[in-house]
Each structure stands twice: as structure tokens, then as C-alpha cells.
Amino acid sequence: MDRGLSNNYVMSVTQDSRGFLWVATESGLNRFDGKNFKNYRKGAPDSAGAVSVSANELNKVYADRYDPVIWVATQRGGLNMFDVHTEEFTHFRHSPADSAGIITDDITDVRNSADGNLWVSTYHRGVEYFDKSSGTFTHYNTATLQGLASDNVWSVAEDSGGNLYIGHVSDGLSIVSLADMRVRCYRHDPGDARSLPGNTVQTVYVDELDNVW
């Protein structure tokens, strides 16, 4: 199965609506059709000259549940969007001059929001809400959310009740009520066996029953 994979250090896997498997690695993006891998690497345009991923060091690949696109979270090259119909990449990179642009290029996670848009987490600058129709980013971080534990984020997920779960690099879990922007924080307490087992929360997953893992 790993024959033809660009790198054996796999960071994330997703499956699109056509059945293709997408594999994000530490050295490139891969699409598997059941027999062969197609590699996508920075600076390696395809036969038609189309641009590829903006970076080879990846954190997450995610098949959008609402639109025919694949999202790629890169470690230092911003957010990438792959249109499965045109097979073209679009790069979203940080620009200090654009206040509505993505706030940083170090992307750790990407998930659909309940309204079909995106939540994007970053390693140093909190969480971004991406409005697909306008192409703008709204910033959720310690400067805009009072009480948020940290701007260092590994993962993000939203439940059906309007709660946003933010897994921090070393500061536990923050839960944001999107209705009133109130924040609750949870950390490991050595004296409380019911507290978080640790303060590094690399993945948050909300299942179909709204259980949070």
C-alpha cells in the first residue's frame, strides 16, 4: 500500500466523494485510486503546468462535506484548496496588509463548520473561521476572545449546539459558545481523576451523536 507514497511519515488521511484516498505526509500530498498514487509536491507542476501544493510539510488533509474540494493544512505554507473538478490548487497565504486574510501560515487543522464553511486552527495565532463565499477569515484568538486559554492550537471542531471545541498545544481544551462568545477552559488537575488526562489536545472529534472525543 505504501508503494509510490511520497513519504512514509503520514500525518492525515481522508476520502473524497469519488472514493479516492488522500494522504498528507511530511513530504507531499498523495491521492490513491486503489492501485496507484499520484504525488503533489511544491514546485512540481503537473503535465498541464498547473501549480501544486504551496508546501510539502503537511499537517492535515480534509475532504469538504459540502463542496467538491480537498483542503490541505500545511505546516508553514498556509491553507490550500484543491478543486476536484478542475484539479487546480488555490493557496491562501498570510499577508500583513490584509486584515481579512488568513492570520498566519502555520495551519494545524481544518474542518467544516455547521453552516458549511470552515474552521481552521493554527499553531501560533488561534482559530480562523473561513467564509467560502466572501473568501474572508474571521479571527478567534486571545485578542478577540476573552478567557481563551492560548493561541497555540492543534485541533478544532464544532457540535450541533453551537459550541466550538479548541484543543490546545499545551493548555488543555477551550469550549466557546458561539452564541455569546463565552469561553470555558479545561486543564489537567493531578488531584481530580475526572479532569483532562493531559494538557496536549491533538485531536477533537464530534461524532454523529454529538459526543466529543
Side-chain angles (χ1 to χ4, degrees):
M1 284 289 290
D2 64 347
R3 188 170 301 168
L5 195 65
S6 64
N7 185 270
N8 287 330
Y9 196 166
V10 174
M11 305 297 292
S12 173
V13 179
T14 193
Q15 185 173 27
D16 67 24
S17 60
R18 301 171 299 170
F20 290 132
L21 288 179
W22 293 83
V23 184
T25 77
E26 279 277 0
S27 185
L29 177 68
N30 304 264
R31 185 180 72 185
F32 184 62
D33 63 9
K35 293 183 179 179
N36 301 298
F37 283 97
K38 181 175 181 179
N39 306 137
Y40 299 86
R41 294 177 58 82
K42 178 182 178 181
D46 63 19
S47 58
V51 66
S52 189
V53 289
S54 61
N56 290 325
E57 300 82 12
L58 311 178
N59 276 324
K60 181 73 177 283
V61 59
Y62 178 75
D64 198 296
R65 294 189 289 117
Y66 300 89
D67 295 303
V69 298
I70 304 297
W71 298 96
V72 185
T74 77
Q75 294 181 17
R76 289 173 289 278
L79 179 68
N80 290 188
M81 182 186 77
F82 179 82
D83 187 312
V84 301
H85 294 317
T86 65
E87 297 205 352
E88 294 179 344
F89 281 93
T90 301
H91 301 160
F92 298 91
R93 301 294 303 268
H94 172 62
S95 170
D98 185 5
S99 61
I102 197 164
I103 200 168
T104 183
D105 284 335
D106 53 323
I107 312 303
T108 53
D109 196 9
V110 55
R111 306 275 185 90
N112 279 118
S113 58
D115 61 7
N117 287 305
L118 289 183
W119 291 109
V120 180
S121 66
T122 78
Y123 193 80
H124 289 108
R125 301 296 300 277
V127 171
E128 299 281 88
Y129 171 82
F130 179 56
D131 187 310
K132 298 177 189 175
S133 60
S134 67
T136 58
F137 292 83
T138 302
H139 316 311
Y140 290 76
N141 51 43
T142 53
T144 63
L145 278 177
Q146 184 177 2
L148 188 67
S150 167
D151 286 334
N152 306 118
V153 181
W154 272 131
S155 57
V156 62
E158 181 183 354
D159 68 15
S160 63
N163 296 301
L164 187 67
Y165 299 83
I166 300 173
H168 295 285
V169 173
S170 58
D171 292 283
L173 177 72
S174 294
I175 304 177
V176 182
S177 170
L178 295 173
D180 56 17
M181 294 302 164
R182 292 188 178 182
V183 181
R184 290 170 288 161
C185 298
Y186 298 87
R187 295 179 61 89
H188 172 63
D189 180 354
D192 184 357
R194 297 173 300 175
S195 69
L196 284 177
N199 289 320
T200 297
V201 182
Q202 289 187 305
T203 302
V204 180
Y205 178 74
V206 180
D207 67 23
E208 295 180 353
L209 299 178
D210 258 1
N211 296 308
V212 180
W213 301 87

